[in-house]
Amino acid sequence: MLLENKTAIVTGGSRGIGRSICLELAKEGANVVTCYASGAAGAEETVKLCEELGVKAMAIKTDVANGEEVAAMVDKVKAEFGSIDILVNNAGITKDNLMLKMTEDDFEQVIDTNLKGAFLFTKNVSKIMLKQRAGKIINISSVVGVRGNAGQVNYSASKAGLIGMTKSVAKELASRGITCNAVAPGFIETDMTAKLPEAVVDEMKKTIPMKCMGSGEDIANLVAFLASDNARYITGQVICVDGGMAM
């Protein structure tokens, strides 16, 4: 197991890609702590599934955009597990609309959750990793952060911001044995995409060279690799898992 005796924080792990990441890290032996803003039942289900894989797991209700709550969660995980070896900034929301119809509140909420939340967790966790002189930080960006998308100015801006943050953090922390990389998923099968009309899904598939959607496991497999010592010399990179969409 690549991550035996490691401790990972995965934000937004109650469903979808976040849950897939939690389970893959657990399969590789990592203890997993996730946080959630709502959907406690989903988060507890993730905990149960991780525990069934033989690791310790925990879910903590946390507003990722609230600095005090993030600091308190990180302190709790450090006290419980002794170290924090892996951080996956996955928590994200969408509030899609054309730019001219998008409200200021819709823009701010997406930026606060998707970008500010990643900053707060990275800042707090990196203090621990610096003392350990080791750590893996993985930001879940998006293909729309690479190429943009109509109707998602706020979401695209937040995910592009994560890419810039990834490169800056990688440069700041590399000398202390800490890596920081970004994963940019494309069109992935989740609860959200399952609600889309079949015609919309078919049109989206036409834009993908591989002509199919990806799965949460496709993202999780890469995250587990980047979190392992097998990726020790990889930092500051943005890796698209998108079937070729961003080419």
Side-chain angles (χ1 to χ4, degrees), residues 180-194:
C180 183
N181 293 288
V183 176
F187 198 34
I188 306 297
E189 292 179 347
T190 63
D191 292 344
M192 188 181 301
T193 56

Side-chain angles (χ1 to χ4, degrees), residues 80-171:
E80 179 72 20
F81 294 93
S83 69
I84 300 175
D85 308 288
I86 302 157
L87 170 64
V88 183
N89 287 309
N90 167 74
I93 61 171
T94 58
K95 287 186 175 291
D96 297 347
N97 213 332
L98 294 175
M99 181 183 67
L100 293 178
K101 296 181 179 180
M102 186 176 291
T103 67
E104 186 175 345
D105 187 55
D106 286 345
F107 186 87
E108 289 179 348
Q109 283 188 46
V110 171
I111 295 296
D112 280 352
T113 298
N114 301 6
L115 186 57
K116 181 183 175 183
F119 162 74
L120 291 173
F121 267 96
T122 300
K123 181 177 180 178
N124 281 274
V125 170
S126 64
K127 294 175 184 177
I128 296 168
M129 291 180 172
L130 283 167
K131 292 180 181 178
Q132 298 171 172
R133 298 188 71 86
K136 307 285 187 179
I137 300 169
I138 301 147
N139 295 320
I140 306 302
S141 180
S142 170
V143 67
V144 304
V146 176
R147 55 182 284 181
N149 196 37
Q152 289 190 306
V153 164
N154 48 4
Y155 188 74
S156 297
S158 71
K159 295 301 186 177
L162 274 178
I163 291 173
M165 183 185 297
T166 296
K167 294 177 179 292
S168 296
V169 170
K171 289 184 176 182

Side-chain angles (χ1 to χ4, degrees), residues 202-218:
D202 288 342
E203 286 301 310
M204 285 295 295
K205 287 180 180 178
K206 292 178 183 178
T207 69
I208 304 170
M210 290 186 72
K211 304 301 179 187
C212 64
M213 297 169 64
S215 69
E217 288 74 21
D218 292 323

